[in-house]
Amino acid sequence: MKSPEPAIVFDQERASSYDQQFDALAPIRDALHLQIRIILSELPVDANILCVGVGTGAELIYLAQAFPQWRFTAVEPAAPMLDICRRKTEEIGIASRCTFHLGYLDSLPASDTFQAATCLLVSHFFMQSVERSHFFQQIAARLQPGGYLVSADLTADMATAEYQSLLEVWLRMLRYADMPEAEVEKFRASYGRDVALLSPEKVASIMTEGGFELPVLFYQSLMARAWYAHKRPE
């Protein structure tokens, strides 16, 4: 199954402003990265890490600086985003530990298996649950037995009053980051149309269907939640 093109396209313009756009929200990102670092700290000193949908490379760079012998494979379908990731790794001197793959997991050449994979704000672009489950299966297939998956996505039960309240606070957060009102409204319209907002329980069950043991919810920031899970024994 070929991975679909995301409805929200990260073209050159969007990619070049992506990091700056969310600078004001850096403490939220940093808290997530710190917890990922702690979760993965038991991995071997020379661990091989798969970063799926790496974007501009924020989590890769954070982990590479924390663990100076880890190696990384960065997978990203948007060329402008991957170009920024590559340039940033070159600037701080870690590019030699990185392999860059433009495309999706299904086109990633067979290689050594990985001790862990990160997948941050990616799987919610799969609008069909069966496609999302297959996506997690592809990640599991590339992990060593017991390997870690750390996955973060936007989640919510859109049929509830809680969602409506949380959504308004979420949009308030985007305005706090100085996002233009027209962009804020684009985000509002994308939820449930271009971004699959499912309940946390449903997302966890899809991860389980994709080949992982019971996911552990370890992080929440408004509508963003993150889990870690081990690859289920075959």
Side-chain angles (χ1 to χ4, degrees), residues 99-144:
T99 299
F100 301 95
H101 176 71
L102 178 62
Y104 295 97
L105 276 175
D106 53 14
S107 62
L108 180 66
S111 63
D112 295 337
T113 54
F114 301 89
Q115 281 88 10
T118 62
C119 178
L120 307 185
L121 303 180
V122 175
S123 86
H124 57 215
F125 288 118
F126 291 90
M127 296 306 297
Q128 301 300 319
S129 294
V130 64
E131 293 177 342
R132 202 163 177 174
S133 177
H134 179 73
F135 172 69
F136 286 124
Q137 289 172 13
Q138 289 183 303
I139 295 176
R142 297 179 181 276
L143 290 176
Q144 294 182 2

Side-chain angles (χ1 to χ4, degrees), residues 68-234:
Q69 295 184 55
W70 283 11
R71 300 188 64 83
F72 299 85
T73 294
V75 178
E76 171 58 48
M81 298 287 271
L82 191 64
D83 288 344
I84 292 173
C85 177
R86 190 194 308 268
R87 186 181 72 243
K88 288 164 67 175
T89 62
E90 291 171 348
E91 289 173 353
I92 63 176
I94 64 170
S96 62
R97 293 193 279 136
C98 301
T99 299
F100 301 95
H101 176 71
L102 178 62
Y104 295 97
L105 276 175
D106 53 14
S107 62
L108 180 66
S111 63
D112 295 337
T113 54
F114 301 89
Q115 281 88 10
T118 62
C119 178
L120 307 185
L121 303 180
V122 175
S123 86
H124 57 215
F125 288 118
F126 291 90
M127 296 306 297
Q128 301 300 319
S129 294
V130 64
E131 293 177 342
R132 202 163 177 174
S133 177
H134 179 73
F135 172 69
F136 286 124
Q137 289 172 13
Q138 289 183 303
I139 295 176
R142 297 179 181 276
L143 290 176
Q144 294 182 2
Y148 271 104
L149 167 66
V150 177
S151 181
D153 280 306
L154 302 187
T155 70
D157 185 342
M158 298 182 70
T160 65
E162 178 187 45
Y163 165 70
Q164 295 301 326
S165 178
L166 200 56
L167 173 63
E168 293 308 316
V169 179
W170 181 265
L171 298 179
R172 196 179 307 159
M173 178 189 71
L174 298 181
R175 296 184 185 104
Y176 169 81
D178 291 329
M179 183 176 290
E181 189 61 30
E183 286 296 309
V184 172
E185 289 306 315
K186 286 182 181 178
F187 272 88
R188 182 200 296 270
S190 73
Y191 300 141
R193 183 193 67 193
D194 305 321
V195 176
L197 290 188
L198 305 177
S199 71
E201 296 78 14
K202 179 61 176 176
V203 175
S205 72
I206 292 174
M207 293 173 64
T208 301
E209 292 167 3
F212 293 90
E213 295 178 345
L214 183 66
V216 177
L217 179 66
F218 71 90
Y219 172 91
Q220 179 180 358
S221 178
L222 299 177
M223 294 199 305
R225 290 177 172 86
W227 294 260
Y228 68 84
H230 292 280
K231 178 179 177 178
R232 189 168 58 240
E234 297 178 355

Side-chain angles (χ1 to χ4, degrees), residues 25-38 62 218-221:
L25 307 178
I28 297 173
R29 175 203 64 207
D30 294 345
L32 175 59
H33 288 173
L34 174 61
Q35 291 175 73
I36 294 173
R37 172 182 178 169
I38 293 169
Y62 179 90
F218 71 90
Y219 172 91
Q220 179 180 358
S221 178

